[in-house]
Amino acid sequence: MARQLRIEYEGATYHVLSRGNDQQAIFLSDNDRNTFLSTLGRMSERFEVDIIAFVLMDNHYHLLLRTNRSNLSKSMQWLGTTYTTIFNLRHLKKGHLFQGRFKSILVENEPYLVQLSCYIHRNPLRAGMVQRLIDYPWSSYPAYAYNRRCPHWLKTDLILSQIGTENTRSKAYRGKVQRYADEKKSIWEEVKHGIIFGSQAFVDRIKKDYLSREPQADIPVQKKIADDRELGEIINNASAVLKIDIQKWKRFRRISKSDMISRDMLVYHLWQIGRFNN
């Protein structure tokens, strides 16, 4: 199985998703759900991980978290192994509970965190499990939207401090979650390379600072990102030689006849070196 690329550093924020093996349920009772949350709290303290938002579904879970140390993989491995051991002992089961490796998406900053929290909290509604989100107790939504009591390890300030005033934040957050249902563009369309959610500047910085130019064979996405970076450099260099303003082309639907010639020359160059095959 191909490994997922993990980008880890102090202060990194992630959206983490893990599913049950063969889509099986990972929670068979409320007791299981309470156990998972208790284990999540222990993980938060043990590995210095801030839990920002969560939702527990029947066969998967979503987390929004920030690592204060460069330790996402160790933290999540401990969480999965510890919960699986308790679950298997309780239900007299054996083997893997979760489907392979957890999925993680690196998140840029607070505005992107707000979007992701809305997506995470709306999961029970999308699944038809409830008609009102407040009726679903196994998420951090009640703490955000109604200031309900929450585990001491849940950090809501990071998101709520970005919304409204101190006295109106819960109401403002409810409004954001409700409006999120009307957004036509899927949040996943904005995830770059399947692992980074943020601005292009953020993506470029992550590529520069954390991605090796020698991709590992068992991490395909690393090669894809490296190839994309190399392609960008090729286009920039060719554009400089041809005196092409790529940004102008992006701003306008139509280009001049002289620009058409330059564009065709650029495409031909990419085709010649095997980087364009359509």
Side-chain angles (χ1 to χ4, degrees):
M1 179 185 293
R3 289 194 292 135
Q4 184 182 352
L5 176 63
R6 304 289 187 206
I7 301 171
E8 300 188 4
Y9 56 89
E10 293 182 4
T13 309
Y14 305 91
H15 172 205
V16 175
L17 163 67
S18 190
R19 296 185 180 279
N21 198 26
D22 293 327
Q23 299 295 316
Q24 68 172 303
I26 58 175
F27 306 112
L28 299 181
S29 66
D30 286 353
N31 197 20
D32 289 338
R33 294 179 178 88
N34 280 320
T35 295
F36 182 86
L37 292 179
S38 174
T39 307
L40 182 62
R42 289 166 58 198
M43 182 269 273
S44 172
E45 295 175 356
R46 184 186 183 102
F47 294 93
E48 298 180 35
V49 174
D50 294 334
I51 310 300
I52 301 169
F54 67 86
V55 66
L56 311 185
M57 306 297 282
D58 289 339
N59 65 355
H60 67 283
Y61 66 78
H62 293 266
L63 302 176
L64 203 54
L65 55 83
R66 173 165 291 177
T67 56
N68 292 297
R69 291 187 273 154
S70 177
N71 61 353
L72 176 69
S73 296
K74 288 182 179 179
S75 304
M76 294 307 302
Q77 182 179 18
W78 185 90
L79 174 66
T81 300
T82 303
Y83 177 72
T84 296
T85 299
I86 298 172
F87 180 92
N88 284 347
L89 286 172
R90 175 178 292 156
H91 298 291
L92 302 179
K93 293 180 178 292
K94 295 181 179 180
H96 298 291
L97 176 61
F98 294 102
Q99 179 180 300
R101 301 176 179 91
F102 65 92
K103 180 179 178 61
S104 64
I105 295 172
L106 187 64
V107 187
E108 181 173 8
N109 54 22
E110 283 73 8
Y112 292 95
L113 287 177
V114 173
Q115 279 186 267
L116 275 172
S117 72
C118 292
Y119 168 81
I120 287 172
H121 286 148
R122 288 188 62 83
N123 265 266
L125 208 57
R126 283 194 299 272
M129 301 173 75
V130 292
Q131 293 185 336
R132 301 187 313 157
L133 288 178
I134 188 57
D135 295 331
Y136 193 75
W138 303 109
S139 87
S140 48
Y141 178 77
Y144 275 88
Y146 292 91
N147 199 27
R148 296 283 176 86
R149 183 179 178 183
C150 63
H152 69 276
W153 41 259
L154 181 67
K155 310 296 185 184
T156 61
D157 288 349
L158 192 62
I159 288 177
L160 290 181
S161 63
Q162 307 298 310
I163 304 171
T165 63
E166 186 173 354
N167 295 326
T168 64
R169 283 171 183 161
S170 292
K171 182 178 180 180
Y173 186 79
R174 292 200 301 272
K176 274 194 170 292
V177 174
Q178 291 166 1
R179 289 192 297 276
Y180 182 83
D182 299 326
E183 293 185 7
K184 296 180 180 180
K185 188 173 184 179
S186 168
I187 199 169
W188 302 115
E189 294 176 21
E190 300 182 54
V191 176
K192 313 295 194 306
H193 308 294
I195 60 168
I196 306 175
F197 185 47
S199 66
Q200 188 57 50
F202 178 68
V203 174
D204 292 341
R205 181 172 68 80
I206 292 300
K207 288 180 182 179
K208 179 176 180 292
D209 293 346
Y210 298 101
L211 299 181
S212 169
R213 286 189 175 273
E214 296 297 330
Q216 299 179 50
D218 58 344
I219 310 180
V221 70
Q222 191 176 14
K223 183 178 187 306
K224 181 180 183 300
I225 293 173
D227 286 347
D228 285 349
R229 177 172 53 197
E230 180 187 347
L231 178 59
E233 292 173 355
I234 292 171
I235 291 175
N236 288 337
N237 292 337
S239 298
V241 172
L242 296 170
K243 298 181 179 179
I244 294 171
D245 185 353
I246 296 290
Q247 296 305 316
K248 185 177 73 173
W249 292 0
K250 291 180 179 180
R251 291 195 299 269
F252 302 104
R253 291 186 178 181
R254 295 183 178 182
I255 61 176
S256 65
K257 289 185 178 180
S258 61
D259 281 342
M260 287 182 184
I261 296 173
S262 298
R263 178 201 60 191
D264 292 344
M265 291 177 65
L266 176 60
V267 171
Y268 179 72
H269 173 63
L270 295 175
W271 177 77
Q272 282 280 75
I273 63 175
R275 303 306 300 268
F276 187 86
N277 54 16
N278 290 330

